[in-house]
Short mmCIF file of all heavy atoms in Angstrom, two decimals:
data_model
loop_
_atom_site.label_atom_id
_atom_site.label_comp_id
_atom_site.label_asym_id
_atom_site.label_seq_id
_atom_site.Cartn_x
_atom_site.Cartn_y
_atom_site.Cartn_z
N LEU T 269 -12.56 28.28 -5.28
CA LEU T 269 -12.24 26.89 -5.22
C LEU T 269 -10.74 26.67 -5.69
O LEU T 269 -10.24 27.48 -6.47
CB LEU T 269 -13.13 26.00 -6.12
CG LEU T 269 -14.61 25.93 -5.79
CD1 LEU T 269 -15.33 25.21 -6.81
CD2 LEU T 269 -14.83 25.41 -4.42
N SER T 294 -9.06 15.58 0.86
CA SER T 294 -8.50 15.20 2.16
C SER T 294 -7.29 15.98 2.48
O SER T 294 -6.92 16.07 3.72
CB SER T 294 -8.11 13.62 2.05
OG SER T 294 -6.88 13.46 1.39
N ILE T 302 -18.76 20.95 -12.18
CA ILE T 302 -19.68 21.43 -13.09
C ILE T 302 -20.06 20.32 -14.22
O ILE T 302 -19.21 19.93 -14.88
CB ILE T 302 -19.22 22.69 -13.77
CG1 ILE T 302 -18.76 23.76 -12.80
CG2 ILE T 302 -20.24 23.23 -14.71
CD1 ILE T 302 -19.75 24.34 -11.97
N GLN T 320 -30.55 13.40 -8.97
CA GLN T 320 -30.52 12.88 -7.63
C GLN T 320 -29.14 12.13 -7.35
O GLN T 320 -28.60 12.24 -6.29
CB GLN T 320 -31.70 12.04 -7.33
CG GLN T 320 -32.94 12.76 -7.44
CD GLN T 320 -34.21 11.82 -7.36
OE1 GLN T 320 -34.06 10.56 -7.11
NE2 GLN T 320 -35.37 12.29 -7.69
N ALA T 322 -26.36 12.55 -8.89
CA ALA T 322 -25.20 13.44 -8.82
C ALA T 322 -25.08 14.06 -7.50
O ALA T 322 -23.94 14.32 -6.95
CB ALA T 322 -25.38 14.49 -9.97
N MET T 357 -18.72 30.33 -14.93
CA MET T 357 -18.44 29.43 -13.77
C MET T 357 -17.00 29.51 -13.33
O MET T 357 -16.68 29.45 -12.14
CB MET T 357 -18.80 27.96 -14.21
CG MET T 357 -20.21 27.67 -14.51
SD MET T 357 -21.21 27.79 -12.91
CE MET T 357 -21.96 29.43 -13.26
N TRP T 409 -10.56 35.80 -15.10
CA TRP T 409 -9.76 34.78 -14.37
C TRP T 409 -9.38 33.64 -15.34
O TRP T 409 -10.17 33.09 -16.01
CB TRP T 409 -10.61 34.18 -13.27
CG TRP T 409 -9.87 33.18 -12.35
CD1 TRP T 409 -9.82 31.82 -12.59
CD2 TRP T 409 -9.02 33.49 -11.19
NE1 TRP T 409 -8.99 31.29 -11.65
CE2 TRP T 409 -8.51 32.25 -10.79
CE3 TRP T 409 -8.71 34.71 -10.59
CZ2 TRP T 409 -7.75 32.14 -9.70
CZ3 TRP T 409 -7.96 34.58 -9.50
CH2 TRP T 409 -7.39 33.33 -9.03
N PRO T 411 -7.42 29.87 -15.14
CA PRO T 411 -6.81 28.83 -14.32
C PRO T 411 -5.40 28.66 -14.76
O PRO T 411 -4.95 28.78 -15.88
CB PRO T 411 -7.71 27.57 -14.71
CG PRO T 411 -8.95 28.13 -15.16
CD PRO T 411 -8.62 29.39 -15.94
N ILE T 439 -15.26 4.46 -6.02
CA ILE T 439 -16.23 3.36 -6.40
C ILE T 439 -17.62 3.67 -5.81
O ILE T 439 -18.63 3.58 -6.43
CB ILE T 439 -15.71 1.98 -6.00
CG1 ILE T 439 -14.55 1.64 -6.87
CG2 ILE T 439 -16.82 0.93 -6.22
CD1 ILE T 439 -13.80 0.31 -6.43
N VAL T 442 -19.12 6.44 -7.79
CA VAL T 442 -19.65 5.98 -9.07
C VAL T 442 -20.93 5.17 -8.93
O VAL T 442 -21.88 5.38 -9.65
CB VAL T 442 -18.49 5.15 -9.82
CG1 VAL T 442 -19.02 4.47 -11.02
CG2 VAL T 442 -17.39 6.13 -10.19
N MET T 443 -20.88 4.38 -7.94
CA MET T 443 -22.13 3.48 -7.77
C MET T 443 -23.30 4.24 -7.25
O MET T 443 -24.42 3.66 -7.21
CB MET T 443 -21.70 2.39 -6.77
CG MET T 443 -20.74 1.31 -7.40
SD MET T 443 -21.38 0.46 -8.83
CE MET T 443 -20.47 1.23 -10.13
N ASP T 451 -26.61 -4.00 -13.17
CA ASP T 451 -27.47 -4.45 -12.22
C ASP T 451 -28.18 -5.73 -12.80
O ASP T 451 -28.95 -5.62 -13.78
CB ASP T 451 -28.59 -3.42 -11.86
CG ASP T 451 -29.62 -3.86 -10.87
OD1 ASP T 451 -29.53 -5.17 -10.43
OD2 ASP T 451 -30.44 -3.12 -10.50
N PRO T 452 -27.82 -6.85 -12.33
CA PRO T 452 -28.42 -8.14 -12.89
C PRO T 452 -29.90 -8.14 -12.75
O PRO T 452 -30.54 -8.97 -13.52
CB PRO T 452 -27.73 -9.25 -12.02
CG PRO T 452 -27.31 -8.61 -10.85
CD PRO T 452 -26.92 -7.19 -11.13
N VAL T 458 -29.37 -2.78 -22.09
CA VAL T 458 -27.93 -2.83 -21.64
C VAL T 458 -27.18 -1.81 -22.55
O VAL T 458 -27.37 -1.67 -23.73
CB VAL T 458 -27.32 -4.22 -21.93
CG1 VAL T 458 -25.83 -4.22 -21.66
CG2 VAL T 458 -28.00 -5.33 -21.07
N PHE T 466 -17.55 -3.62 -17.35
CA PHE T 466 -17.25 -2.19 -17.27
C PHE T 466 -17.08 -1.84 -15.79
O PHE T 466 -16.13 -1.16 -15.29
CB PHE T 466 -18.29 -1.26 -17.89
CG PHE T 466 -18.01 0.13 -17.73
CD1 PHE T 466 -17.11 0.83 -18.61
CD2 PHE T 466 -18.62 0.90 -16.63
CE1 PHE T 466 -16.80 2.19 -18.42
CE2 PHE T 466 -18.27 2.26 -16.48
CZ PHE T 466 -17.35 2.90 -17.38
N TYR T 472 -9.85 -2.41 -12.23
CA TYR T 472 -8.68 -3.09 -12.80
C TYR T 472 -7.89 -2.09 -13.69
O TYR T 472 -6.58 -2.22 -13.80
CB TYR T 472 -8.97 -4.39 -13.50
CG TYR T 472 -9.77 -4.40 -14.75
CD1 TYR T 472 -9.34 -3.75 -15.95
CD2 TYR T 472 -10.97 -5.13 -14.87
CE1 TYR T 472 -10.05 -3.77 -17.07
CE2 TYR T 472 -11.67 -5.19 -15.95
CZ TYR T 472 -11.30 -4.54 -17.17
OH TYR T 472 -12.01 -4.60 -18.26
N ARG T 479 0.15 -0.06 -11.01
CA ARG T 479 1.18 -1.12 -11.10
C ARG T 479 2.41 -0.46 -11.79
O ARG T 479 3.61 -0.63 -11.35
CB ARG T 479 0.71 -2.28 -11.93
CG ARG T 479 1.86 -3.24 -12.37
CD ARG T 479 1.26 -4.27 -13.28
NE ARG T 479 0.86 -3.75 -14.55
CZ ARG T 479 1.59 -3.38 -15.55
NH1 ARG T 479 2.88 -3.64 -15.53
NH2 ARG T 479 1.11 -2.94 -16.73
N TYR T 485 -3.29 1.69 -6.78
CA TYR T 485 -4.21 2.29 -7.65
C TYR T 485 -3.72 3.64 -8.14
O TYR T 485 -3.08 4.47 -7.34
CB TYR T 485 -5.60 2.47 -7.05
CG TYR T 485 -6.27 1.16 -6.68
CD1 TYR T 485 -6.23 0.82 -5.32
CD2 TYR T 485 -6.97 0.36 -7.52
CE1 TYR T 485 -6.89 -0.38 -4.92
CE2 TYR T 485 -7.54 -0.84 -7.17
CZ TYR T 485 -7.51 -1.17 -5.86
OH TYR T 485 -8.13 -2.28 -5.47
N VAL T 491 -1.86 16.51 -20.26
CA VAL T 491 -1.69 17.93 -20.08
C VAL T 491 -1.71 18.63 -21.37
O VAL T 491 -1.44 18.07 -22.42
CB VAL T 491 -0.40 18.21 -19.31
CG1 VAL T 491 -0.40 17.45 -17.97
CG2 VAL T 491 0.87 17.81 -20.11
N SER T 499 12.33 20.80 -8.65
CA SER T 499 13.61 20.05 -8.74
C SER T 499 13.29 18.65 -9.18
O SER T 499 12.15 18.17 -9.17
CB SER T 499 14.25 19.97 -7.34
OG SER T 499 13.52 19.17 -6.39
N LEU T 500 14.43 17.88 -9.57
CA LEU T 500 14.15 16.56 -9.97
C LEU T 500 13.57 15.61 -8.90
O LEU T 500 12.90 14.67 -9.26
CB LEU T 500 15.47 15.89 -10.42
CG LEU T 500 16.12 16.56 -11.65
CD1 LEU T 500 17.51 15.95 -11.91
CD2 LEU T 500 15.28 16.40 -12.85
#
Side-chain angles (χ1 to χ4, degrees):
L269 299 176
S294 79
I302 304 293
Q320 298 171 10
M357 293 297 100
W409 182 271
I439 292 173
V442 170
M443 290 299 108
D451 178 357
V458 176
F466 180 83
Y472 69 63
R479 173 185 63 83
Y485 299 99
V491 303
S499 73
L500 292 177

